[in-house]
């Protein structure tokens, strides 16, 4: 019976990570389908925390432009740093991003989500406006999604602007402060990111 | 107001404009001190504000909503003169209409019928008004208990007590339209407002604390972004994302 359970769980995990839905290439539908899927999985009581985390990681790796986000949050230093250091930073940033994203998304698992409008800024960017209404009666939260559409067949999320506050900009300014206090030493920032992932 | 007073105010604004615009918004006035004050504020929050906010969140929803409406309605009084100073007549109408409807029909502001009538006043203060005049934020620092601020916003904070009709009635004990009060009323309302804000943002604060590697810088970024947004009355993100630059 125990073996069967392990096998069944493995199959479930495999299906969740390997056959997760592909989302629409239309930015508005892309956000709507993706968030609907995430909320559904996060509120599924039959899934363990580990399964939920694996699912979010899979969705993020395939639909968020983590590489560009990492470069953006590094600020001016991305132009002057050694390529090897940038690669190490990108690896640490990806792990940090996935861990913090899982934690952040869990807060919105019991909410209703609605995409309100799409605002095409250029051929590369579309801002999708949405709102999340918590079921506990708390006020709705406006979230804008900066979608990178350079490849129109594969839109990617680059930033979330929650009530006008850009998560990417907040992250960039946080990293910039750490770098400024440490003579722009990228290895200090990498250590801090790795420390966060370990804890 | 005579010409001499107007000239003094204009000179003051000009000096603020020149000196504050020289300082970037992200520059610190005295980072070491601010970080220490921030630590103190976090301890204060952990010991007092957060537990009170958690208790407040356990109150029945209608009581929380009514309290939130009441403090927001009083805060509208500060928005009214600031809308005028900003020359924003549409928002002036929204604030004034909202205050009078909520204070009367909405039973002293505990209910918000004005919102259902389409009146949505933005919160405005003197710091924002100075911002709309093109005065830069000046350097950034943290005040004990009150939290993050900038040179411009701290001047605005003091000026608020001269512009706000509620402060005139309470702190200065001047009677206005038969309404009277004292300092205790003013600080009680401000305290309840702070608890209401903290209670509404329990999850966000927890999430930020959990996911930041430098919480002080995250709070600074969030404060500066919020102020920019409030001054522009817009949630448009103006960030330059060209990674080739």
């Amino acid at each position: 019976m125990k073996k069967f359970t392990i096998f069944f769980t493995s199959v479930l995990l495999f299906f969740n990570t390997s056959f997760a839905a592909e989302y629409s290439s239309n930015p508005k539908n892309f956000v709507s389908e993706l968030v609907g899927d995430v909320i559904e999985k996060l509120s599924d009581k039959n899934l363990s925390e580990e399964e939920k985390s694996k699912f979010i990681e899979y969705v993020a790796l395939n639909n968020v432009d983590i590489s560009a986000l990492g470069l953006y949050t590094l600020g001016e230093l991305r132009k002057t740093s050694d390529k090897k250091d940038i690669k190490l930073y990108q690896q640490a940033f990806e792990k940090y991003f996935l861990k913090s994203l899982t934690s952040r998304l869990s807060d919105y698992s019991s909410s209703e989500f609605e995409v309100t409008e799409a605002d095409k800024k250029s051929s590369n960017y579309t801002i999708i406006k949405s709102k999340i209404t918590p079921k506990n009666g708390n006020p709705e939260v406006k979230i804008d999604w900066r979608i990178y559409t350079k490849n129109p067949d594969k839109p990617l999320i680059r930033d979330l602007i929650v009530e006008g506050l850009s998560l990417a900009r907040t992250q960039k300014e946080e990293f910039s402060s750490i770098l400024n206090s440490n003579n722009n030493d990228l290895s200090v920032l990498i250590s801090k990111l790795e420390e966060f992932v370990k804890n | 107001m005579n010409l001499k007073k107007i000239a003094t105010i204009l000179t003051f604004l000009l000096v603020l404009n020149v000196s504050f615009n020289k300082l970037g918004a992200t520059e610190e006035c005295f980072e070491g001190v601010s970080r220490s004050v921030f630590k103190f504020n976090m301890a204060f929050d952990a010991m007092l504000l957060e537990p009170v906010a958690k208790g407040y969140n356990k109150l029945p929803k209608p009581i929380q909503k009514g309290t939130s409406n009441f403090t927001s309605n009083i805060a509208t009084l500060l928005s009214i003169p600031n809308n005028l100073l900003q020359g924003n007549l549409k928002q002036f109408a929204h604030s004034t209409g909202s205050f009078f409807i909520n204070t009367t029909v909405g039973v002293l502001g505990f209910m918000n019928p004005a919102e259902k009538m389409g009146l949505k006043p933005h919160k405005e203060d003197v710091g924002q008004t100075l911002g709309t005049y093109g005065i830069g934020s000046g350097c950034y620092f943290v005040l004990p208990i009150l939290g993050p601020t900038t040179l411009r916003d701290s001047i605005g904070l003091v000026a608020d007590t001269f512009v706000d009709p509620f402060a005139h009635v309470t702190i200065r004990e001047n009677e206005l339209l038969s309404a009277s009060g004292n300092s205790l009323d003013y600080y009680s309302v401000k305290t309840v407002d702070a608890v209401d804000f903290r209670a509404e943002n329990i999850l966000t604060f927890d999430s930020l604390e959990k996911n930041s590697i430098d919480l002080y810088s995250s709070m600074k970024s969030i404060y500066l972004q919020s102020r920019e947004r409030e001054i522009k009355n817009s949630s448009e993100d103006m960030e330059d994302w060209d990674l080739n630059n």
Side-chain angles (χ1 to χ4, degrees), chain A residues 41-55:
Chain A
K41 287 283 190 305
L42 286 178
S43 52
D44 188 341
K45 286 173 185 159
N46 295 319
L47 294 180
S48 70
E49 289 308 309
E50 199 191 339
E51 286 166 338
K52 287 176 186 175
S53 297
K54 288 262 179 209
F55 172 75

Side-chain angles (χ1 to χ4, degrees), chain B residues 49 75 119 123 137 143 150 155 174 186 202 211 222:
Chain B
L49 194 54
L119 295 172
K123 275 192 177 177
S137 60
L143 287 168
T150 58
I155 290 172
N174 294 323
Y186 183 82
I202 286 259
N211 294 300
I222 287 172

Side-chain angles (χ1 to χ4, degrees), chain A residues 146-160:
Chain A
R146 178 185 281 273
I147 307 297
Y148 185 55
T149 49
K150 192 167 186 181
N151 175 359
D153 296 328
K154 182 65 190 158
L156 290 168
I157 299 166
R158 277 202 162 174
D159 192 12
L160 257 67

Side-chain angles (χ1 to χ4, degrees), chain A residues 72 78-79 96 100 103 107 121 125 136 138 146 158 163-166 169-170 173-174 177 196, chain B residues 35 61 200 207 210-214 217-218 221-222 225-226 228-229 236-237 239 241 243 245:
Chain A
Y72 170 79
R78 69 171 181 269
K79 297 174 195 165
Y96 162 78
S100 65
S103 160
D107 300 337
K121 293 286 177 194
Y125 286 110
N136 61 8
N138 279 347
R146 178 185 281 273
R158 277 202 162 174
E163 290 288 344
L165 306 176
S166 154
R169 182 175 159 189
T170 307
E173 288 171 357
E174 188 182 13
S177 166
F196 177 88
Chain B
R35 281 192 182 265
K61 279 283 167 197
E200 204 177 275
S207 174
K210 228 169 23 187
N211 294 300
S212 291
I213 47 176
D214 182 7
S217 305
S218 296
S221 173
I222 287 172
Q225 285 186 65
S226 321
E228 264 176 47
R229 184 176 59 106
E236 283 282 299
D237 175 40
E239 273 300 281
W241 262 83
L243 296 172
N245 280 337

Side-chain angles (χ1 to χ4, degrees), chain A residues 72-89:
Chain A
Y72 170 79
T73 51
L74 195 52
E76 293 295 306
L77 210 59
R78 69 171 181 269
K79 297 174 195 165
T80 52
S81 296
D82 189 75
K83 278 189 179 172
K84 267 186 191 171
D85 291 340
I86 300 252
K87 200 178 172 190
L88 285 174
Y89 162 77

Side-chain angles (χ1 to χ4, degrees), chain A residues 3 11 16 22 33 47 84 145 175 178 180 189 198:
Chain A
K3 274 187 183 170
V11 170
N16 269 327
E22 280 293 318
E33 290 169 13
L47 294 180
K84 267 186 191 171
W145 305 69
F175 289 2
I178 292 166
N180 284 342
L189 178 60
K198 272 183 206 159

Side-chain angles (χ1 to χ4, degrees), chain A residues 3-107:
Chain A
K3 274 187 183 170
F4 176 76
T5 313
I6 293 168
F7 171 72
F8 186 72
T9 311
S10 310
V11 170
L12 197 72
L13 257 177
F14 177 77
F15 271 80
N16 269 327
T17 53
S18 304
F19 295 100
E22 280 293 318
Y23 305 114
S24 168
S25 58
N26 171 295
K28 199 173 171 183
N29 296 341
F30 165 69
V31 171
S32 184
E33 290 169 13
L34 185 146
V35 179
D37 205 11
V38 168
I39 287 180
E40 189 191 317
K41 287 283 190 305
L42 286 178
S43 52
D44 188 341
K45 286 173 185 159
N46 295 319
L47 294 180
S48 70
E49 289 308 309
E50 199 191 339
E51 286 166 338
K52 287 176 186 175
S53 297
K54 288 262 179 209
F55 172 75
I56 289 174
E57 276 185 30
Y58 175 83
V59 169
L61 285 168
N62 285 283
N63 299 289
V64 180
D65 198 350
I66 303 177
S67 169
L69 190 56
L71 284 178
Y72 170 79
T73 51
L74 195 52
E76 293 295 306
L77 210 59
R78 69 171 181 269
K79 297 174 195 165
T80 52
S81 296
D82 189 75
K83 278 189 179 172
K84 267 186 191 171
D85 291 340
I86 300 252
K87 200 178 172 190
L88 285 174
Y89 162 77
Q90 291 277 52
Q91 287 166 350
F93 178 79
E94 184 178 292
K95 285 178 193 155
Y96 162 78
F97 177 79
L98 292 174
K99 187 176 176 186
S100 65
L101 182 74
T102 310
S103 160
R104 281 182 171 139
L105 283 180
S106 312
D107 300 337

